Amino acid sequence: MTSANGQPLKIAVVGHTNTGKTSLMRTLMRDVDFGEVSNRPATTRRVEGASLSVGGRPLIELYDTPGMEDSIALLDHLSAMKKDRRDDGVTVIRQFLESPEAAPGARFSQEAKALKQVLAGDLALYVIDVRDRVLGKHRDELEILSWCARPVVPVLNFTASAEARTAEWREHLSRVNLHAVAEFDTVVLDEEGERRLYEKMRTLLDRHHATLDALIEQRRIERQQLVSASARFVADLMLDAAAFVMVVPLDASTDTTAAIERMKQAVREREQQCVEHLLALHRFRPEDCAGADLPLSEGRWGFDPFSPAAVKQLGIRTGSSAAAGALAGLTIDAMVGGLSLGAGAAIGAAIGAVLGTGQLHGRRLLDRVRGRSELRCDDATLKLLMMRQIWLVRALRRRGHASVEPIRIEDVRERETKDMAGRRLPEVLDEARTRPQWSQLQAGPMPMPGSLADWTRNAALDRLTAEVQKMIAATPSSR
Amino acid sequence: MGQRYDAAMSAPAMRFDERNRDRAIRADDRLLAEMMLAQLRVGGTDINDQNADDAARTASGDLETRLVVRARVVKNAGELTEALRHVRHVLWLLVAIGLFLALIAGVATAQAVMSTARHESVNFFLVFGSLLGVQTTLLLIWLGLLLFARGSARVSMTAASLGGLIMALARRIIHWTHHGAEHTAAVSALSTMMMRSSIGKWSISAISNGLWLAFNVGAMVVIVALLSARQYAFVWETTILSEKVYVPLTRAIAWLPATMGFVTPTPEQIVASQFIAAEGAASQPSSQIVAASKAWSGLLVGSIVVYGFGPRLLLLGLSLGRRRAARSKYRIDLSRPEVLQLRDRLEPPASRLAVIDDSNVLPRTVSTRGMTDARPKRPIGSPAIVGVELAQPPHRWPPSIPGGKSWNDLGMVDRREDRQRVMQTLRTSQSQPGAMVIVCELSTTPDRGLGHFLTDVASVVESKIWLILTGGQQMRDRGEGGDIAQRVDDWRALAVSAGMPVDRVVELDLDHLTHTTLGVLASIVPPGGGGGPTNAAPAHARRLEQAFCLIVEFTRRCQAHPDSIRHEDQATLHQQIASLYRDEETSWRNLLRVPASIQSTMAAGFSAQMPGELASSLKSSAQRFASFLPDRLKRSPKWLAAGAAAGALGCLAAAALISPVAIGALPMWSVIGAAIAAVVQSSRTTTNQDAQESASQQFSDAVRAAALFALILELQGRDERTITRVLDQAIPEAAMNADIAHAADVERWLNDVHHHLDMALAREAVR
């Protein structure tokens, strides 16, 4: 799988200062801690390498270099060195690297570090902030790179920006004979973009064809696995929340609020746990996700068909005494409203008397006779939980590892919200409602591994995972 | 050399190793790995096991191999193996007991159906149905479910079979007898393995079929024994059916055993075997009866073999075979979260390499300022402006200057050629630009290349160079608004490294010019050609800013004649400042307690002598003014003197405002000095310094006094304590002790004070 001579493919990441070289490294490495990233010049002042591996075997070595800052002067200097017209660029650059001007602390020391890596490597990635115009300094940088006689793949960064001058850059690059241009926004991770970047590199590096193929394939598999693992976390959370039931004696009314609070707290913590798992899975740190307090609905009294008070309450809360079927729409509206307000309070009181399956009514009847009632999360809460997690997964998939801004869960976009709110809850969750033993939040002994409850839960988990996976992939990830 | 040798050798060696390992990894290894994963899933173990990680990382092979290697050396590997062994023991024990019980059941059933009173005939179909009916029905159901059932039906089917029963029992027993996390993990891993592949299905069906096989063995042994030792007569009975049903039925049952070589009854024998009470036995010769019984018993044994024993044996073999295949085909599901979690540790997709070229020394742009070649001084021309690397040049280029002056537009600099052109123009032009304004964008990252350009410009331009940073809005649009302060600082650093003073870097959005920014722009561009009004500040600027501009103007003029500062000039400055606040004249006159009598004094003219009245009113104003100072400043003689001077001069300015006199012509400056001295001395016990102050001290004293005057006029209308409090904040420790020796210092110092005043006022507004 390694290249022809067994050496890893060496790539120098170069570019003007503050164009996102270290960001590109971070995103390709999926490592939020690599190097240092800031919106300042000369953040990276040394050459730091990293290797990309497939199956634990390093295939590619990437070298992050300091930004070139004074290319205009450097090109003047190099041109002056090129006394003989027959001298080729590489010779001049090698001479330059030997000269005192390239020594540490000298005038061109930073540029020299970058050029040294270009010469040592098989290929150079030239990172461009496409929000910049094509300026003289860029032209000169490209000119100097062309002297190095190494294949160059220009990487257009910040293509997602409104100011992006992608066309202008592409035109100029093609004029200097650079056609294998990759668009790769390091902040907004585009899965296609990464693959195309490797493909562009592959077209210029015939010898390393197999290496890059292996890497592309590996990244594809990893992405798939990431999605299915994420879906599994979400499905697990959903089963736990949907199956969670708390039985409260009807007479002890003082206990209720405490019970509701306990329940809410348990679900909140469970969601937080899921969020942490998802972040860790995508190799982000917990502080990358600033979460709002979970807008849980009241883990209200089980919808008791015999209690006029509950029905009345429904009527008041929804502003209509329509049948449960009609309520579903209202619940969703309330939920969407609450989300766009960014506050859970609006949902807090929202009804959610939708779960009216026959089985549940039967259970309730029985409970009523026994003089107790059940508390469980309502549909609105479940939908909300699922939507938020799916949204989070989508956001994480899109997020480059160079992003500095934290994700905010309140920022759920309206369209996505509506898109999901319009759907029914997966049937598996209806089934889960009737199986308290599926919930890990349930007090009491867990279902024994291998027991029937465990088996059925696992089967349900598989089904739900598949469904969630579909939902994650459903909306196009591009904005 | 060694490295190359390694590289050449390692590839084939690795492949060989891999193949070996692949063979070495067995289902049991995977089971162990599943146990490790099960423990991770429930958080039962700490994932941090450096030893295990290292071992797994160095192992060659794929991720699964690494997982297996890790499971073998993980901290509790011994306990895991032990637990797995326990679980297996329990399972095997239960299977053995089950087999024994099934055997007993077979024996018992056979005995029950064959036990009849002596010389009574045995109903063949009852025996056949009892022994084979139930199990065949179950077998058919099982087959049907196996072929057609999906999802949870299949799960419950397998769980509800005999094998499932044994499994469930085993689980319970484990649960009762062992409580360790490792045992839970073992059960969990086993069930994972069974659920995720067909291993579970085939294991359960192997157990079920094994049990039935035992049952059949038991039954057959008993039947063969009984048939050998006793004489049975087989009959069939019916009440409503005829022999037309029984003969084909029997033949159909008998077909398979017959082909296998068992003796089966002929149609005549079948017809003859119908049970007809009492007479039947007598009507046939005994030899025929014996032959028929033999044939029936052959059919019975053959049926058990073909319909009971055989299928179960076959299915047992099939189940075991499929189970074996499934086990060897089993692979750990690598997309599970806990595996991905481990993969990051065992097969990191990227790892960091060493740092190369670790020298953090940044090259410095060498300042060439001051190295300007000694050329004859050129006349001052109009201010020059140049835009450098502007992505979005301002809508109006060049920006208009208030006051109607015109720019010498040097255009845009994007490329080397542009730089050369600008440098050429600057070098060869006949006149020196009145000011050199370089416009850059905030969104441009200041780099050494730009620093280089700044240095170059500085080397040919002797006048002030200003760096205007425009496009702040663009930066905010990018969502980088928070970075602006940092960016400005970076530009400042670059400017300083190019030899420019820090305060020449101005953030100014040329596309969104406000009155204030226009004022700043105007202050940047000096009066062209040396003429123009001194009051360059635009009328709409805040009065305090205008006052400060006046102070700056004043200091510039002083700088030209630094020998001494005359009180007359100072008084004129104060008068100018006071005239800015003409509207609130009464208010601040009250504040300063300027006596009304001073008017008459002034009007009377005091050219000849110094009226005591004037002296006393000046002194009271000076005292009054000094009292506004916060204690901190009062303790500083410099500031006390400044306060007193401001008061005295202010009093005079007020008087001059009311009855306009050429204030500069008033020959009573020693009075002021006396008034100041009185105030200062009243608070100090010793006066060690006389009027013999150095020029620079006089200079800074004048600035402080004027600034204080302007500040207090700006703050009028508030109560005295507020004024004192705001002053305290507006002149922080640094500004208080700052040395103001040059005009450039004055500007920075005033900016600083202004800044702190704004903050103090903002705080005041919140109060």
Side-chain angles (χ1 to χ4, degrees), chain B residues 249 319 350 377 534 549 606 613:
Chain B
L249 183 67
S319 298
K377 275 203 186 280
T534 44
C549 279
F606 34 77
E613 242 182 309

Side-chain angles (χ1 to χ4, degrees), chain B residues 401-405 514-525 533-550 553 580:
Chain B
I401 326 170
K405 274 184 286 276
T514 61
H515 291 324
T516 318
T517 51
L518 269 174
V520 177
L521 196 61
S523 70
I524 285 173
V525 182
T534 44
N535 200 349
H540 41 253
R542 214 165 113 195
R543 284 178 303 189
L544 183 71
E545 280 147 26
Q546 293 179 42
F548 280 8
C549 279
L550 288 171
E553 280 298 321
L580 290 172

